[in-house]
Amino acid sequence: MSLTTEQVKRIAHLARIEVSESEALTTQGHLNGIFELIEQMQAVDTTGVEPMAHAQDVSQRLRTDAVSETDRRAAYQAVAPETEAGLYLVPKVIE
């Protein structure tokens, strides 16, 4: 797949980007290069290759899920302008 200059200009128009003729030609070359790379990658036989989330076999170290702070909800709500049933009340913005 390759793009024509007219297609590049149309994409730029849809994106509301103003491009000159020379910019359109440069962009066309870049995009066509990207499409060629995609075609090369799609041509590779990946049968039997298991999908992976990371290029290396790594795992993330996780900490234990333990509470490390005290409950300060009452203190925070005491200084709030308005609260009701544990919720902060705010002025209505949209009618």
Side-chain angles (χ1 to χ4, degrees):
M1 174 184 184
S2 62
L3 295 176
T4 65
T5 309
E6 291 305 314
Q7 290 172 322
V8 171
K9 288 180 182 178
R10 172 131 174 84
I11 293 168
H13 174 74
L14 292 172
R16 303 295 190 252
I17 300 172
E18 183 178 346
V19 292
S20 66
E21 188 68 32
S22 63
E23 290 172 328
L25 288 172
T26 303
T27 304
Q28 177 189 12
H30 290 290
L31 291 174
N32 285 338
I34 292 169
F35 287 137
E36 287 174 18
L37 178 61
I38 291 170
E39 287 175 359
Q40 289 175 9
M41 289 191 299
Q42 288 178 337
V44 174
D45 181 22
T46 58
T47 306
V49 177
E50 189 175 325
M52 56 184 160
H54 197 275
Q56 298 176 347
D57 188 22
V58 294
S59 61
Q60 185 175 0
R61 293 180 296 145
L62 301 176
R63 62 174 171 77
T64 57
D65 191 14
V67 176
S68 60
E69 297 180 5
T70 59
D71 183 11
R72 307 240 1 230
R73 178 177 166 184
Y76 293 138
Q77 289 198 344
V79 296
E82 290 186 67
T83 61
E84 181 181 301
L87 303 173
Y88 295 97
L89 300 177
V90 295
K92 187 174 185 177
V93 178
I94 301 173
E95 294 185 30

